[in-house]
């Protein structure tokens, strides 16, 4: 959606700044609890990979795929209840971890 695209643009601009030159950037994908564990792990990994591809694309060569690590954690660590659509939407996310 538009908010997600704006977030990716803002993130790619931030990652271009010198303070992140040596940082390890992890993109961690999550899902809601619908579906099996294996399927959710694959889906969350793909979700993180899509965000990484969008960042690389928007950055126009100043950020490369090898600077980003993607992981899929499936339905672990929900941020909301999975019993309604609003909570499920919140759990379908990609978090950015910097270390």
């Amino acid at each position: 959606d538009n908010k997600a695209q704006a977030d990716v643009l803002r993130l790619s601009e931030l990652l271009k700044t010198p303070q992140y030159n040596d940082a390890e950037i992890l993109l961690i994908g999550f899902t809601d609890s619908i579906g099996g564990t294996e399927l959710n792990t694959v889906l969350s990994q793909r979700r993180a990979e899509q965000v990484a591809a969008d960042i690389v694309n928007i950055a126009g060569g100043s950020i490369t795929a090898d600077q980003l690590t993607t992981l899929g954690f499936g339905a672990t660590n929900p941020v909301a209840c999975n019993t309604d659509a609003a909570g499920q939407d919140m759990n379908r996310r990609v978090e950015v971890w910097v270390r």
Side-chain angles (χ1 to χ4, degrees):
D1 64 7
N2 289 337
K3 181 185 178 314
Q5 289 300 316
D7 289 343
V8 168
L9 177 60
R10 194 173 70 236
L11 178 59
S12 73
E13 291 300 317
L14 180 68
L15 294 178
K16 290 181 200 178
T17 62
Q19 72 190 54
Y20 293 100
N21 284 350
D22 296 322
E24 181 180 7
I25 308 301
L26 303 168
L27 301 172
I28 313 296
F30 296 90
T31 64
D32 58 31
S33 63
I34 298 171
T37 301
E38 188 173 321
L39 177 63
N40 281 337
T41 301
V42 170
L43 179 58
S44 63
Q45 177 67 36
R46 287 184 183 161
R47 184 169 282 143
E49 289 170 354
Q50 182 61 58
V51 171
D54 289 347
I55 290 170
V56 169
N57 185 46
I58 289 172
S62 57
I63 299 171
T64 61
D66 63 329
Q67 293 173 270
L68 307 170
T69 300
T70 59
L71 298 169
F73 285 2
T76 62
N77 301 321
V79 294
C81 184
N82 276 301
T83 59
D84 62 33
Q88 292 165 351
D89 283 346
M90 290 178 68
N91 290 326
R92 296 178 199 125
R93 68 194 190 280
V94 174
E95 294 182 4
V96 180
W97 297 1
V98 179
R99 52 178 179 176

